Amino acid sequence: MKWLSVLTKRDGLSPQLLRSQIFAVLIVAAVVGYLGGMPTWVAILGVIAYHSRGSGWRTGSYNLVCVVTGLGLGLGAQSAAYKWQIDPSILIVPIALVFSIISVWAMGLVTGIRNLPSYSIGIIIAFLAQVDTTLDAYLQLIAAVSVGAVFAGLVNSIWPRREVATC
């Protein structure tokens, strides 16, 4: 529970309030994702992505853009590795991961955006989702991640905050 103390110091929340807020937003994101026919675990990762580098609408949307970019990089790397018809097929995943890591590194050099946690969440979702590398699958994963991030932002903005008492 060391991560909880780090979050409470960073956001100025009491541990009980933070636990309640995280639990509420995870439940809401999972239910909305399920009702929308989206993978619920991807919606939950959207909540985690929202809070990966601070909390607030600006940083949350910044994190969401990086997750969506990571999704594209992961699916693009998988598609490129499959097109090369690498034999044995067990080598496809490590080669695609290397391409994804190189792409994230290059984006950091070109754009100056070095949000490695959010890029990594997107790449992990792309590899674990085991979906076809199509635009439809990409858009469905974007929708699921966005549901989680939007509900994390809503709960974060309307939930009452309380300062931690310091003695």
Side-chain angles (χ1 to χ4, degrees), residues 39-97:
T40 56
W41 65 274
V42 177
I44 290 172
L45 283 177
V47 173
I48 294 168
Y50 177 84
H51 290 289
S52 66
R53 292 187 79 183
S55 31
W57 284 106
R58 183 175 180 188
T59 56
S61 60
Y62 170 77
N63 293 338
L64 181 62
V65 168
C66 291
V67 169
V68 169
T69 305
L71 276 171
L73 291 174
L75 291 176
Q78 283 180 357
S79 179
Y82 284 122
K83 293 287 182 192
W84 287 342
Q85 297 176 350
I86 298 170
D87 199 36
S89 61
I90 193 75
L91 294 176
I92 290 175
V93 172
I95 290 172
L97 278 173

Side-chain angles (χ1 to χ4, degrees), residues 23-36:
F23 184 71
V25 74
L26 289 175
I27 294 294
V28 168
V31 167
V32 170
Y34 177 75
L35 292 176

Side-chain angles (χ1 to χ4, degrees), residues 121-133:
I121 289 172
I123 291 170
I124 288 169
I125 291 171
F127 281 104
L128 291 181
Q130 296 180 354
V131 295
D132 294 332
T133 54

Side-chain angles (χ1 to χ4, degrees), residues 88-135:
S89 61
I90 193 75
L91 294 176
I92 290 175
V93 172
I95 290 172
L97 278 173
V98 167
F99 285 143
S100 299
I101 291 168
I102 291 171
S103 300
V104 167
W105 174 75
M107 286 186 65
L109 289 177
V110 172
T111 63
I113 299 173
R114 291 180 174 84
N115 191 351
L116 190 60
S118 295
Y119 285 131
S120 300
I121 289 172
I123 291 170
I124 288 169
I125 291 171
F127 281 104
L128 291 181
Q130 296 180 354
V131 295
D132 294 332
T133 54
T134 62
L135 183 61

